[in-house]
Amino acid sequence: MKHIITAIISLFLTANALGADNDYISLGAFVSNAPASIPEEAASLLKSRMQRVIAADGFADNQAPGRFALVAKCDVLEKDIAPTTPPRISQKLELSFVVVDLIENKVYGGCDMTVSGIGTNETKAFSAAFQKVSVQNRQIKTLLSEAKEKILDYYTNSCPQIQTEAKTLASTGQFDKAIFSLMSVPPVCTECYNSCQQLASEIYQQKIDAECSRMLAQAKSKWAASQSGATATEVTEIISQIDPRSSNYPAVVEFRTSVSVKLAADAKREWEFRMKKYEDNQQFKRSIVDACRAVGVTFAKNFQLPQINFFKRF
């Protein structure tokens, strides 16, 4: 399942950033590489076919990590190799699809279908079978329609719980996961979306305040141990990560000044040049909402997918 991580929050985050239609709910499309070892080219084709179905059924797909996903698993039921030149591989496959909440590992429904394909190699045999996954497939269309209603119902009835869980995560220092969860609420759930965006901004402030305290203490400790040009460079690398919007930023400015006055001319010029680059850092000039989206994207890249139970249906 780890193979599909690179392709799931930008799911919601990118959609919101690009101004996706508020009537849409974002849904990722991913292919499990177990138990069958699906050739990469064929798996990419299946994912592409799934994305078409998603787009045709009132979802937005951004090909990136988020909360909800349509995940496919492939089992080889039969496989024959004809002794021809070149050999021809014939396969009968069972495809299982589930819509799953990747955070709570909760399956919102699923369906199965049997497809067959023939090719001169394994990749072509898989690809021929996957071509039969289409936007007209009623099983998948029904699955997505029912899942959409359940997802909307989840956000309508569970918004207070989502916010409570996010606050709990933040209280234990899991700021990124808390922000990810809150920013995953789709705009179509207007009231919940707005309140969660506000809470995400508040938790982001908690995050940068905590990071400021930690990194400023680290920088001061390093500077106290050795007040030299080389150490100043190391200190720069630390405090350049501090968001100027942190509540304790005045203490950072005070510390910067105390370092500057103790440096020799050459080291001081280098120090001031690095500080100017820090002040011009564009990532600190984006809005809090954009900063929250960026936190979500980073969290998603390191997110470990749960082991999905394809047999457990909502």
Side-chain angles (χ1 to χ4, degrees):
M1 295 299 296
K2 291 182 180 179
H3 293 291
I4 70 180
I5 263 297
T6 54
I8 313 178
I9 267 179
S10 291
L11 188 59
F12 291 101
L13 307 185
T14 304
N16 294 345
L18 296 177
D21 191 317
N22 283 356
D23 290 335
Y24 281 80
I25 295 176
S26 294
L27 190 72
F30 305 101
V31 179
S32 168
N33 205 36
S37 181
I38 306 174
E40 184 176 348
E41 183 180 334
S44 178
L45 171 64
L46 176 56
K47 179 179 176 180
S48 177
R49 305 292 292 187
M50 292 164 63
Q51 288 169 343
R52 292 184 189 179
V53 177
I54 288 171
D57 278 83
F59 286 89
D61 175 68
N62 301 290
Q63 307 177 40
R67 181 156 194 153
F68 294 97
L70 174 65
V71 183
K73 177 175 73 74
C74 177
D75 292 290
V76 178
L77 301 179
E78 298 176 8
K79 182 175 181 178
D80 296 307
I81 302 177
T84 58
T85 304
R88 295 182 68 80
I89 299 175
S90 174
Q91 293 190 136
K92 183 178 180 181
L93 312 173
E94 181 180 63
L95 290 174
S96 298
F97 298 95
V98 293
V99 174
V100 62
D101 179 336
L102 297 167
I103 296 297
E104 295 189 357
N105 194 15
K106 180 179 181 180
V107 175
Y108 276 74
C111 67
D112 306 297
M113 59 185 293
T114 301
V115 293
S116 299
I118 301 175
T120 54
N121 57 45
E122 198 171 64
T123 297
K124 291 182 178 179
F126 272 108
S127 297
F130 294 157
Q131 286 283 1
K132 297 169 185 176
V133 176
S134 71
V135 296
Q136 285 79 35
N137 185 279
R138 291 202 170 276
Q139 290 174 288
I140 303 178
K141 287 173 70 69
T142 299
L143 166 63
L144 294 181
S145 177
E146 292 177 351
K148 185 175 184 179
E149 292 302 316
K150 293 171 183 175
I151 291 171
L152 288 173
D153 183 67
Y154 167 77
Y155 280 116
T156 299
N157 297 306
S158 303
C159 197
Q161 177 186 338
I162 293 169
Q163 295 183 3
T164 297
E165 291 173 349
K167 291 176 183 178
T168 299
L169 288 169
S171 69
T172 59
Q174 299 180 71
F175 301 111
D176 292 359
K177 186 174 182 179
I179 292 170
F180 166 70
S181 177
L182 294 167
M183 296 299 289
S184 292
V185 177
V188 67
C189 305
T190 308
E191 186 176 343
C192 184
Y193 171 79
N194 290 334
S195 60
C196 285
Q197 292 264 311
Q198 177 60 39
L199 181 56
S201 297
E202 294 171 8
I203 291 178
Y204 180 79
Q205 186 65 52
Q206 296 173 32
K207 168 186 166 68
I208 61 176
D209 287 350
E211 290 175 345
C212 176
S213 296
R214 175 177 55 81
M215 289 186 284
L216 180 57
Q218 182 183 355
K220 286 182 174 181
S221 176
K222 188 172 288 290
W223 181 244
S226 175
Q227 298 182 2
S228 66
T231 304
T233 299
E234 295 179 28
V235 167
T236 302
E237 293 174 356
I238 296 171
I239 64 175
S240 64
Q241 301 173 61
I242 298 175
D243 194 315
R245 290 169 293 197
S246 60
S247 301
N248 199 32
Y249 187 67
V252 177
V253 175
E254 182 180 347
F255 173 64
R256 285 170 49 185
T257 302
S258 68
V259 171
S260 181
V261 298
K262 294 182 179 180
L263 292 174
D266 289 345
K268 186 173 183 177
R269 280 193 295 270
E270 177 65 17
W271 167 264
E272 291 176 349
F273 172 74
R274 290 176 177 272
M275 287 299 98
K276 183 64 169 59
K277 286 182 64 178
Y278 164 55
E279 291 170 354
D280 291 340
N281 192 337
Q282 293 302 310
Q283 74 168 341
F284 295 140
K285 296 182 180 181
R286 58 194 173 196
S287 71
I288 292 292
V289 172
D290 286 340
C292 288
R293 291 191 182 110
V295 169
V297 171
T298 301
F299 175 83
K301 290 178 180 178
N302 300 311
F303 182 66
Q304 296 297 310
L305 285 180
Q307 184 65 44
I308 298 171
N309 185 347
F310 282 81
F311 300 102
K312 183 179 180 181
R313 305 290 166 82
F314 184 88

